[in-house]
Amino acid sequence: MPGEIKHFDGAVRPFRFVLAALVALSLAACANGGSGRAFPSTEEPAPPAAHPTVSVTGTDLGTGMLADTASIRVAFLAPLSGSAAAVGQELLNAAQIAAIEIGPANFVLQPYDTGGTAQGAAQAARSAVSQGARMIVGPLFADSVRAVAPVANEAGIPVVAFSSDATVAGGAVNLIGFVPAEQLRRIFEHAVQKGRHSVAVLVPNTPAGRKTAEAAQSVAAQTGMRLVGAESYQPGGAGADVAMSRLRSRGSFDALLIADTGAGLTSVANQLAMSGIESGPVMILGTMLWDSDPGLGRNRTLTGARFPAPDEAGISAFRQKYENMYGASPSDIAALGHDATALAAVLVRTGPNAITLQTVRNPHGFVGAGGLFRFRADGVAERGLAIREVTASGSTQVEPAPRAFPGPML
């Protein structure tokens, strides 16, 4: 059996995971921070290597079970072996931070290795249910989430998974990953506030790029933006000039979304001026992919461009905490492991039967390492994000993330 992460000392620790104005759960605390990005599917390229870090084996962290405390078990599913093992380990590392700081004495976090496959995820979920798990945190990939869903639905326990592929949400499954629609909603609303009314979209011809282009169609209308069109180019940027020319032929626009990073983003940015598109008259917009791009500030064409991201105060706090514990910086996805586990731990604090689909989907939401979020009825996370602006040294926050949702769920 995998090792357990437990709390046994019964100490009262300050809550660093906030339940924002909850009706059913009246808890108060200060938020800590972080950022995260989930990988949508194994259709995508393999996740990039996680930063070097210390392994967590899930060994017992306490000194002895309290005699009058009944354990409440939460399963943690992630690829702890295989090609995505480094990412899975970071998720587990971050989850341990939440378990240590927030979990009460009866909270048990039980890691299970999915191996990064759907078959492995399904087996892990069955094992978790048979061992009494009240909730499943994870898995990572969309096909793994699909495999876990029927097991969780039959058992009647909620899932908080790391995928950002909205098609796998629903039933017992909730997605804590940053889905494209939420990113676009935030940046399009910001552009409208700045007087922009029409947007064109450039994406790489990849599964993630296509999903972003699809999301733009509905989100543009919801935010008051007119979508001029969406065009794609080859991964890495080949054909970006042709894609831009096609966009120009569709009509004028005063905002341009580039949903790419790395070499692809650099190639597209280099083509902007040659295509007659100037930053200023056209507001350049990005996605959260930009937040982890180390070369973002090197291209002067992108100076002044804006993109959504978690609030920087939270990011700094989470990264510092992770570095203090493991001696290395976390990659962007790590905070999702923290927040999903923290949510479970906070619910366990309120009582032995507090983990239900209804409490996980509390409409008032939660504030965690990745910022403000709540799960809609379809299981997709609605997010509160900050706005960052590209500078010569990288980026700077120009608009903070909201601390509460303004109204009913979308």
Side-chain angles (χ1 to χ4, degrees), residues 5 54-59 61 80 89 92-94 96 111 325-326:
I5 296 174
V54 177
S55 293
V56 173
T57 60
T59 53
L61 300 179
L80 303 178
Q89 187 65 63
L92 180 56
N93 289 355
Q96 179 182 304
M325 189 163 185
Y326 299 109

Side-chain angles (χ1 to χ4, degrees), residues 3-6 58 72-76 92 95-96 99 107-111 137 341:
E4 297 174 348
I5 296 174
K6 302 180 180 179
I72 298 178
R73 186 182 300 271
V74 171
F76 187 94
L92 180 56
Q96 179 182 304
F107 182 77
V108 177
L109 184 68
Q110 180 79 55
V137 171
T341 304

Side-chain angles (χ1 to χ4, degrees), residues 7 65-73 104-108 134 348 351-352:
H7 284 285
M65 176 64 75
L66 297 178
D68 59 348
T69 300
S71 296
I72 298 178
R73 186 182 300 271
N106 60 334
F107 182 77
V108 177
R134 305 282 189 90
V348 169

